[in-house]
Amino acid sequence: MATLTDIGVAATINILTAFAFFIAFAILRLQPVNDRVYFPKWYLKGLRSSPIKTGGFASKFVNLDFRSYIRFLNWMPQALRMPEPELIDHAGLDSVVYLRIYLLGLKIFFPIACIAFTVMVPVNWTNSTLDQLKNLTFSDIDKLSISNIPTGSSRFWVHLCMAYVITFWTCFVLQREYKHIASMRLQFLASEHRRPDQFTVLVRNIPPDPDESVSELVEHFFKVNHPDYYLTYQAVYNANKLSELVQKRMKLQNWLDYYQNKHSRNPSKRPLIKIGFLGCWGEEVDAIDHYIEKIEGLTRKISEEKETVMSSTKSLVPAAFVSFKRRWGAVVCSQTQQSRNPTEWLTEWAPEPRDIYWDNLALPYVQLTIRRLVIAVAFFFLTFFFMIPIAFVQTLANIEGIEKAVPFLKPLIEVKTVKSFIQGFLPGIALKIFLIVLPSILMLMSKFEGFISKSSLERRCASRYYMFQFINVFLCSIIAGTALQQLDSFLNQSATEIPKTIGVSIPMKATFFITYIMVDGWAGVAGEILRLKPLIIYHLKNFFLVKTEKDREEAMDPGTIGFNTGEPQIQLYFILGLVYAAVSPILLPFILVFFALAYVVYRHQIINVYNQEYESAASFWPDVHRRVVIALIVSQLLLMGLLSTKKAARSTPLLFILPVLTIGFHKFCQGRYQPIFVTYPLQDAMVKDTLERMREPNLNLKTFLQNAYAHPVFKAADNLANEMVVEEPAPDKTPDLVATKRGSRRFNSGSAETFT
């Protein structure tokens, strides 16, 4: 059981660690050689140039302006200076709404913390229940919790009133935030520039027809059933092999660029390579000629594979992207049933082109149910077996358990500093380490399920990560920790006393979660801004692998927010805050520090670092709202259980009302605001269409949409073919042949092909 001294040691370690991270970041970000690591977003926007290209030799690598080191924390006010509308234009609505999750935590928990420390802490502290209980392990921190209230005390009315205050205040803040973000989404969609996904729907499970191909069937179906608004379509092909060839071709091109650049710096000497194993031995040949020959051969293979895919009906996937002349037509199609059989011609809003996960478009629709069933079973076993390391982590918080397992370490463990380190710091860092590999596993499982957009992949992964955190990190930590800490008490009392001991012991797990919050929420967030891993990888790539400026841009790797891991982690703090607000309020200041620190750090990262891969217009907010509501209901049920063990019979029935009211509140929000995040209003679509016709009466929308949903590998293959045409000895013939094929294939059919 962690004592006040143990918590103090853990706080000191984590505060010093966080401060060291901030100091290191302040120094490293000022160095010119690290500019692409800490400001990659500005490079991608073309608004920042490398300082290495200017100044003297030393100033290209080290910042010699010592005045800049004095203002090492000026990044904090700079991160808060950019107003929200400008931040939306700069980073997108998804990033801004993600930041508002941290603001939501501050809005909910700051007033609750003020009330709790004004009312709850004095009520809990001014009792001596824990001192009177025998065979029970506790610390001074536990005297601030509900465990210190005697059984049957009238003081439980204070906790009941606090539960009502927490519920009503949380619902009030959630409703206002839901309303505000729904308004932000509608305003963002109304003011947004024209995008292909506004006019396009994804059609899946197209039924086979013996007389028509999928392409012919799609065009015929929509010309008949949507004659006024149908514009064009893009068929979907399975081109996984083509993708592999293109990737291999691009790698060879990078090597060719490298050797050509090397030769241009020293024209008198041709670069040579060995073509044996790993280039270590074998025949020595001219590097430039070698790679030109390999690229020419691979380019021909790409062209042949492309023609094979296009001409083979087996490559066709029963899906297509169908575009309409007006947004209104796309809205109607995406939100209505297309045929008598509700399992055929399934339509949904097409994700924006950047958001599509192309690999899964080739999966047969009938497999998706089976795949999701398999993953559901796999996730169950993953969650179950992960309880073993979680239970091990709880043993680290129990000194007696460690001494029994390894008695020869008892003299070392009993040293005051070592004991404080084990109980105050080690459990949190051990749990953090065990959870490192989990997001990668969950993302692989989500991809196997067959979701066709990156946003849906991240939302599903976030949902499973949240379930895992709730079951293993929260519930399992409480149950396993309580059983281990109070094992002696369980064995030496009657069966009728065990529920009472559990009711007293569960609030005591607050000390474990305090250590976890400091490790993950304080030092972990500070470590995020340091970007130590991207920094090391960038310099390693820059030294060993970077051959061209294109390679240097790819080595930056700004990354994204990581909604699939970040949002579930935030939700764990909501659970802890709401559960322990009326049980052990000592947790709340630690949670507030996390929300405040994380808001500043991630605002800075969104402005300067992260480059979001897609824009979903905050479609994830209903998930955020639902999980906070779940956390609120869990807190009410746990408090109800605690009060029942405390024999607070008169106050317990009044708690039954709270879950009912909370569920009713959620249903209201679900009906009032959630449709805004799922569907697009016909009224708004018509307004946007009308304004667009007035401003651009001669707009050629078909040209705008022609290749909008062409697979990146298709575009890359075209670019590589054009490059190959330039290198051919007879350029006057090859371009005409390629252009003729491409033109007849694309324009005569009235459609464009998409490859997956």
Side-chain angles (χ1 to χ4, degrees), residues 493-501 645 647:
Q493 64 180 328
S494 63
T496 57
E497 294 294 315
I498 291 180
K500 177 180 176 181
T501 303
T645 62
K647 298 182 180 179

Side-chain angles (χ1 to χ4, degrees), residues 398-420 422:
N398 182 22
I399 290 293
E400 292 77 11
I402 298 177
E403 291 176 348
K404 290 179 181 178
V406 282
F408 59 90
L409 292 179
K410 184 174 181 179
L412 177 63
I413 293 174
E414 289 298 329
V415 176
K416 187 174 181 180
T417 306
V418 176
K419 187 176 182 179
S420 297
I422 292 175

Side-chain angles (χ1 to χ4, degrees), residues 119-133:
V119 179
M120 300 289 295
V121 169
V123 170
N124 294 335
W125 180 260
T126 55
N127 284 279
S128 58
T129 303
L130 292 177
D131 294 326
Q132 299 172 2
L133 290 175

Side-chain angles (χ1 to χ4, degrees), residues 223-235:
K223 278 185 176 180
V224 171
N225 296 288
H226 297 268
D228 297 328
Y229 291 98
Y230 168 72
L231 180 62
T232 185
Y233 75 95
Q234 291 179 329

Side-chain angles (χ1 to χ4, degrees), residues 132-146:
Q132 299 172 2
L133 290 175
K134 299 179 180 180
N135 298 324
L136 191 68
T137 306
F138 66 92
S139 66
D140 290 338
I141 294 178
D142 298 317
K143 293 182 179 180
L144 301 174
S145 71
I146 195 174

Side-chain angles (χ1 to χ4, degrees), residues 523-584:
V525 169
E528 171 64 27
I529 202 169
L530 182 59
R531 303 199 77 217
L532 186 59
K533 180 181 176 182
L535 176 68
I536 295 172
I537 292 176
Y538 170 76
H539 285 297
L540 288 175
K541 286 183 176 180
N542 199 34
F543 187 78
F544 292 105
L545 302 177
V546 169
K547 300 176 284 293
T548 64
E549 282 298 318
K550 182 180 178 182
D551 292 340
R552 187 168 286 107
E553 290 181 4
E554 293 176 353
M556 287 193 303
D557 187 23
T560 61
I561 292 175
F563 178 83
N564 58 309
T565 57
E567 193 269 344
Q569 198 68 14
I570 302 171
Q571 290 295 341
L572 178 63
Y573 292 96
F574 277 103
I575 293 176
L576 296 176
L578 291 172
V579 166
Y580 282 97
V583 173
S584 184

